[in-house]
Amino acid sequence: MGKIFKYGKDVDTDQIIASQYLLYPTIEEMKTHAFESLDGDFIKEVQPGDFIVADENFGCGSSREQAPAVLKACGIKAVLAKSFARIFYRNSINLGVPVIVCSEVYDHVERGDEMELNMEEGYVSVNGEKYACTRVPAYMKNILDQGGLLASLEG
């Protein structure tokens, strides 16, 4: 179980991590500014195992891989959205951050709700209800389980 952070449509990579923080030498330093312009309380409240639930087109904008890297460093267990920007989706998988298309859950949850994700079965449980999500293919689950594409190729 993890807590939900809920965001709307078209959350871009600049809102996840603003460009001025890309100058910091490490992801650990960058993560302290995650969602700073969109949600000033995010970094104070996020805990390992929490989730992001978003509307359509999450991760749009520039193709910076630091955006999913920062989410991973914050301990985000998975990002669930109605849809994702293509490059963000691919960067997330490459870095070991589960991104799950789940078209129904957004309209039925609020920030702070507790949620459980079952990637193998393809659903989330929240507020006593189950919502279907896209199942992660076995090869992609293998990549995620190993911490990302590079880690899976090294293993």
Side-chain angles (χ1 to χ4, degrees), residues 62-137:
S62 65
S63 63
R64 67 179 58 121
E65 66 185 33
Q66 292 92 341
V70 162
L71 298 180
K72 183 176 183 175
C74 287
I76 293 297
K77 184 171 184 169
V79 181
L80 293 89
K82 291 183 179 181
S83 65
F84 293 91
R86 190 176 192 165
I87 192 73
F88 178 86
Y89 185 89
R90 195 66 230 163
N91 282 339
S92 296
I93 298 299
N94 288 346
L95 292 171
V97 178
V99 281
I100 313 292
V101 175
C102 195
S103 58
E104 294 180 20
V105 72
Y106 179 82
D107 297 321
H108 301 281
V109 298
E110 296 300 328
R111 180 189 178 110
D113 288 349
E114 294 282 326
M115 184 168 71
E116 185 175 357
L117 170 65
N118 186 321
M119 281 197 293
E120 292 78 21
E121 300 284 328
Y123 69 86
V124 293
S125 298
V126 61
N127 298 326
E129 299 290 330
K130 282 186 180 180
Y131 299 96
C133 299
T134 301
R135 284 187 179 176
V136 175

Side-chain angles (χ1 to χ4, degrees), residues 5-45:
F5 289 86
K6 185 178 177 182
Y7 302 107
K9 288 183 183 178
D10 302 319
V11 173
D12 67 41
T13 54
D14 281 322
Q15 292 171 303
I16 298 168
I17 184 67
S19 61
Q20 68 261 31
Y21 302 119
L22 301 179
L23 299 173
Y24 287 13
T26 68
I27 292 296
E28 286 299 309
E29 290 173 273
M30 287 181 215
K31 82 176 186 181
T32 63
H33 299 281
F35 289 106
E36 191 171 81
S37 67
L38 184 64
D39 179 359
D41 292 327
F42 174 81
I43 200 62
K44 296 178 223 168
E45 297 175 6

Side-chain angles (χ1 to χ4, degrees), residues 44-55:
K44 296 178 223 168
E45 297 175 6
V46 68
Q47 298 292 319
D50 286 346
F51 297 96
I52 292 174
V53 174
D55 204 333

